[in-house]
Amino acid sequence: MTTNPDLAPELTPADYPLSVHRPELLHTPTGKTLDDLTMAAVVAGDITSEDLRISPETLALQGQLAAAAGRRQLAENFQRASEMTTIPDAEVLEMYNSLRPNASTAAQLEEIASKLENTYSATTCAALVREAAQVYAARNLLAEEESPVAPLAPQEA
Amino acid sequence: MTAVAPRAEGTGASLTTSKRTDVLENRPVNLDGFVEEWPEKGLVAMESDFDPQPSVRVEDGRIVELDGRTRDQFDFMDTFIADHAIDVDTCESAMATESVEIARMLVDPRTSRADVVAVGRSLTPAKILDVVKLMNVVEIMMGIQKTRSRRTPANQAHSTSAKDNPIQVAADAAEGAVRGFAELETTLGVVRYAPLVAIGLQVGGQVGRGGVLTQCALEEATELDLGMRGITAYAETISIYGTESVFVDGDDTPWSKAFLASAYASRGIKMRFTSGTGSEVQMGNAEGRSMLYLEIRCILMAKGAGVQGLQNGSISCIGVPGAVPGGIRAVAAENLVASWMDLECASGNDQSFSHSAMRRTSRLLPQMLPGTDFVCSGYSAVPNKDNMFAGSNLDTDDYDDWNTIQRDMQVDGGLRHVREDVILQVRNKAARAMQALFVELDLPPITDEEVEAATYANSSDDYPDRDVLADLEGARSVMERGITGIDLVRFLERAGFGDVAENYLQVLRQRVSGDLLQTAAVLTGDFTPLAAINDANDYAGPGTGYRLTGERWEELKKLRHVTSAENPEEEVV
């Protein structure tokens, strides 16, 4: 797997934890800082669940730290995660279920990969799905093309 | 028909065994199950002629042969490991190193953790097995001491209830947290109770010690849902398996699980996978490989997926390796390999294992003495009869024994003795916080009688029964109303539990920073993330690494009863 140039280390392990050493780099997807997430703001109803999410930029920073600590795969996971931040919860779950064995046809997996790529600019996630489709084809783990309805199981006596 | 000769009843003329044998027959260890090895079926710990020989071949920057199989023969585990886990550039040279040389690197303190981890990144499963097969259990412990990722060891608890009583779960979570557990885990008898029990765990945990992390073990999709809502803080029950057939039986693949790992990280939620020796043979398809070989494949799959950690050490299948020769050595070896592969390791000791107290203790020493990221991936912080994970190797009855072993050996197993008044105070406060929260959430009321019971209880027997149907209706409405962690924080604050609300909010804020996503991260009492970056294990022989000294050692010298040196009539408080 190639190294993403976006993950070129700028942060060093000394910057961890970011919440303590580099809070100025952190913001929520809604544009709030860590300092904005106070009890007063919660009580006033100014904080919602949307304000307690991680941003793609923060995941990229954590990816830098992971790479600097020699954890290539963890950094790659954070890269996929940063792409996934904009995908709605329900759709993430749906995509996960589609990746289960014998759950999708090759065409369905390609549709997911295209959507990841075109709708969410999630290119490394799309690559993972395409890789899965290839392996599933080789290992006979794709759903049958033409029979979406499973035959009824025989009734127990 | 029985396979053994009947035992003589009573004494006298019919005696066919010695009196000593009678005594031994009645020892608890003889209630345990033991079985001969059957390597052809994978019923063998780690020494099997049916395991493959190590090999690797690279062509055009791609692994084309792995442990005797060429790419066209790869199953999906081989493919995933070859393409994601192993460093291709260095694997041929690393594989050429003698296994005994690598085993020595694991043991020898003059080889740094970084160096031995770097070699490990380039090895195949069969080579890793070949290395650890050379190590006896003391050498395995030496390896764990050096390779565990976080410098400071910690511990994890189960807090569950045989009646799924959320007040009990809250009170026991509070006590567990104040006793020192860094993570708390729950699960359910009746799954529909999950929201209320998960809330109990979170609230109780934050009463006991701010910054404790909680999880609720459920089916993958539901577990993720509770995490996304901020009702739980992390996840662990993401099972992986060492053969393709069993993985598929579990309705997953390495790619679906890798996708799930990224999904958790994309919500800022800490997560680790779960695997363990014996699961494949227990699920009936070990493909003729030893338990440890298959577990090493799981560990490499987890590494390839980029998940930060792994719960392993046989876990719920401990009866399988526990029954065969060398099985508990193999379990220690799997913890070593997870640590060596630079993953957070929550190291088992979390399932009922033996009727023998001696055996239960000897089983935990290979993790407790060297220290792991979580010595138990589930010490039962409730009596085992309330443990909905089917019982743990340790439970609440063992608290004082655990604390005494820590003091005897001067090792930090993550717990401490806590004075009775403190325990009663946090149990009571956890129950009152739940009482107030249930009012805010318009859930079936928690009576003062229940609060009183929670303060002094041992087990679920000590609580008044709740109206289960009403609670389940309430649990459903919590989900339907879309209640989130931030709502719970607001309600706790409004109900007068501002400090608990503040602790909970601090845990939720961690999602924004992503600091808990790094390897082996936990939160200290002042909400500082402690991970294998800012608390990297620096063990390099005697006098280095984590040492139980100073304030923490003074804390662990305390037990329930310690006689004063100055006045033998008094006990130290």
Side-chain angles (χ1 to χ4, degrees):
Chain A
M1 193 162 265
T2 55
T3 319
N4 189 321
D6 294 342
L7 297 183
E10 294 163 18
L11 296 179
T12 70
D15 292 306
Y16 182 90
L18 299 180
S19 56
V20 176
H21 296 309
R22 302 302 297 274
E24 77 279 6
L25 298 178
L26 304 174
H27 63 86
T28 69
T30 51
K32 292 192 165 74
T33 67
L34 272 186
D35 283 345
D36 293 333
L37 305 175
T38 62
M39 188 59 74
V42 171
V43 171
D46 294 339
I47 307 288
T48 69
S49 279
E50 289 303 304
D51 296 314
L52 288 168
R53 295 180 86 124
I54 193 164
S55 72
E57 294 79 13
T58 303
L59 278 158
L61 294 174
Q62 293 292 355
Q64 280 186 28
L65 287 174
R71 300 188 172 110
R72 168 175 64 91
Q73 292 91 344
L74 185 59
E76 289 167 359
N77 180 26
F78 292 163
Q79 167 72 24
R80 287 192 294 269
S82 99
E83 295 174 355
M84 274 187 203
T85 51
T86 52
I87 310 175
D89 293 354
E91 201 173 339
V92 168
L93 277 171
E94 204 177 297
M95 287 176 174
Y96 162 62
N97 282 321
S98 303
L99 277 168
R100 292 185 192 256
N102 306 306
S104 305
T105 63
Q108 286 165 335
L109 289 176
E110 179 48 38
E111 200 178 314
I112 291 169
S114 301
K115 189 163 192 195
L116 282 165
E117 205 162 45
N118 301 324
T119 310
Y120 299 111
S121 306
T123 50
T124 60
C125 292
L128 187 79
V129 172
R130 291 203 173 102
E131 187 187 312
Q134 215 170 16
V135 176
Y136 293 5
R139 303 301 298 171
N140 199 22
L141 293 170
L142 292 169
E144 297 290 328
E145 290 285 347
E146 286 302 315
S147 58
V149 182
L152 286 174
Q155 291 283 316
E156 295 273 339
Chain B
M1 284 288 289
T2 57
V4 291
R7 221 190 295 173
E9 297 292 323
T11 55
S14 64
L15 185 72
T16 57
T17 55
S18 74
K19 288 176 180 171
R20 180 163 304 152
T21 297
D22 284 346
V23 169
L24 291 172
E25 278 289 354
N26 288 316
R27 293 280 287 183
V29 73
N30 284 314
L31 293 169
D32 290 356
F34 302 100
V35 64
E36 274 188 312
E37 290 156 308
W38 189 5
E40 292 86 342
K41 291 287 173 192
L43 192 61
V44 58
M46 60 192 282
E47 316 258 359
S48 168
D49 293 339
F50 297 90
D51 282 334
Q53 290 301 309
S55 77
V56 78
R57 200 157 50 83
V58 175
E59 273 175 21
D60 302 327
R62 195 166 180 236
I63 291 175
V64 294
E65 182 191 317
L66 185 78
D67 294 341
R69 279 184 185 158
T70 51
R71 192 165 269 272
D72 58 311
Q73 300 167 316
F74 280 4
D75 64 18
F76 70 30
M77 293 298 283
D78 298 318
T79 306
F80 194 86
I81 289 166
D83 292 348
H84 294 278
I86 300 173
D87 281 3
V88 179
D89 296 346
T90 47
C91 67
E92 285 180 318
S93 63
M95 289 288 286
T97 312
E98 292 274 341
S99 293
V100 70
E101 199 48 48
I102 301 172
R104 283 180 184 144
M105 292 174 79
L106 282 165
V107 176
D108 185 348
R110 286 167 297 188
T111 302
S112 72
R113 178 182 189 275
D115 285 348
V116 74
V117 165
V119 172
R121 277 198 285 267
S122 314
L123 303 179
T124 67
K127 181 71 171 182
I128 292 168
L129 177 66
D130 206 46
V131 170
V132 295
K133 269 161 76 170
L134 293 164
M135 301 170 75
N136 67 28
V137 72
V138 176
E139 290 155 352
I140 289 168
M141 287 160 71
M142 288 286 288
I144 291 173
Q145 174 165 250
K146 178 156 80 184
T147 60
R148 99 165 163 266
S149 62
R150 193 192 326 104
R151 186 173 189 267
T152 312
N155 211 338
Q156 185 202 70
H158 291 158
S159 184
T160 59
S161 162
K163 294 178 182 170
D164 294 321
N165 183 331
I167 301 101
Q168 179 189 4
V169 169
D172 282 321
E175 179 175 339
V178 79
R179 284 178 178 275
F181 294 106
E183 289 186 348
L184 304 170
E185 174 183 22
T186 194
T187 194
L188 285 303
V190 177
V191 173
R192 286 179 294 153
Y193 242 123
L196 303 191
V197 168
I199 289 169
L201 187 76
Q202 178 70 266
V203 170
Q206 299 316 320
V207 168
R209 196 273 271 174
V212 161
L213 305 180
T214 67
Q215 63 143 327
C216 183
L218 293 165
E219 183 276 321
E220 274 84 352
T222 321
E223 190 162 335
L224 180 57
D225 188 20
L226 283 175
M228 284 173 170
R229 287 167 181 260
I231 292 174
T232 52
Y234 76 104
E236 171 180 78
T237 320
I238 318 294
S239 301
I240 58 171
Y241 303 97
T243 64
E244 182 177 297
S245 47
V246 174
F247 219 127
V248 169
D249 280 350
D251 202 19
D252 267 299
T253 74
W255 288 265
S256 66
K257 283 279 151 87
F259 190 90
L260 192 60
S262 304
Y264 273 101
S266 76
R267 268 58 186 170
I269 304 171
K270 172 177 178 170
M271 192 264 257
R272 70 174 77 91
F273 284 167
T274 292
S275 60
T277 48
S279 64
E280 297 83 6
V281 65
Q282 182 156 305
M283 287 174 76
N285 216 334
E287 298 175 2
R289 308 301 197 195
S290 73
M291 299 179 203
L292 186 58
Y293 174 73
L294 295 180
E295 176 55 22
I296 292 170
R297 282 171 35 120
C298 291
I299 295 165
L300 289 191
M301 188 261 131
K303 179 163 181 83
V307 65
Q308 63 82 30
L310 184 67
Q311 166 181 234
N312 82 347
S314 196
I315 313 304
S316 54
C317 301
I318 189 68
V320 182
V324 299
I328 299 307
R329 171 181 166 235
V331 170
E334 62 179 293
N335 297 142
L336 167 60
V337 176
S339 306
W340 179 19
M341 295 300 119
D342 204 19
L343 299 171
E344 171 191 64
C345 178
S347 60
N349 284 306
D350 58 352
Q351 182 84 24
S352 294
F353 160 67
S354 173
H355 297 84
S356 154
M358 281 179 75
R359 240 188 130 213
R360 290 198 293 117
T361 309
S362 76
R363 184 257 169 278
L364 74 87
L365 293 179
Q367 291 77 32
M368 188 183 188
L369 296 186
T372 68
D373 295 317
F374 298 93
V375 176
C376 300
S377 49
Y379 181 123
S380 188
V382 290
N384 259 343
K385 67 173 185 167
D386 274 311
N387 189 302
M388 300 312 284
F389 295 97
S392 174
N393 190 39
L394 288 307
D395 79 352
T396 45
D397 291 5
D398 302 313
Y399 273 146
D400 289 356
D401 296 74
W402 183 281
N403 291 334
T404 306
I405 293 171
Q406 291 185 134
R407 186 179 185 269
D408 288 342
M409 297 292 195
Q410 201 169 348
V411 297
D412 193 338
L415 302 188
R416 61 176 181 153
H417 176 69
V418 182
R419 289 200 329 259
E420 180 72 4
D421 58 329
V422 175
I423 287 174
L424 295 179
Q425 190 257 329
V426 298
R427 293 185 65 92
N428 178 265
K429 185 171 170 182
R432 283 188 292 109
M434 287 294 282
Q435 186 181 41
L437 191 58
F438 271 37
V439 171
E440 293 284 339
L441 284 166
D442 198 23
L443 292 170
I446 295 170
T447 63
D448 290 342
E449 190 193 357
E450 288 178 273
V451 172
E452 179 78 0
T455 308
Y456 297 101
N458 182 41
S459 77
S460 55
D461 293 342
D462 304 322
Y463 293 77
D465 283 334
R466 288 188 58 80
D467 180 341
V468 173
L469 290 179
D471 269 355
L472 292 177
E473 181 57 28
R476 191 182 58 81
S477 95
V478 164
M479 294 310 269
E480 280 184 4
R481 285 182 279 164
I483 299 292
T484 65
I486 207 73
D487 296 323
L488 300 176
V489 168
R490 193 169 53 245
F491 290 147
L492 282 165
E493 168 75 20
R494 194 160 74 192
F497 289 88
D499 54 344
V500 184
E502 186 62 42
N503 289 351
Y504 193 172
L505 179 60
Q506 288 280 358
V507 172
L508 289 174
R509 285 170 98 235
Q510 294 301 323
R511 293 187 175 202
V512 175
S513 73
D515 284 331
L516 294 181
L517 302 178
Q518 296 289 351
T519 304
V522 290
L523 268 184
T524 66
D526 64 356
F527 306 99
T528 305
L530 199 66
I533 297 186
N534 61 338
D535 190 40
N537 185 10
D538 56 357
Y539 178 82
T544 67
Y546 182 83
R547 299 278 152 175
L548 179 50
T549 54
E551 207 179 309
R552 176 68 177 157
W553 176 220
E554 293 308 311
E555 189 173 53
L556 295 202
K557 288 178 183 174
K558 294 188 175 131
L559 297 175
R560 188 174 302 281
H561 301 291
V562 176
T563 304
S564 160
E566 286 177 2
N567 183 357
E569 301 299 311
E570 280 181 16
E571 286 187 349
V572 183
V573 184

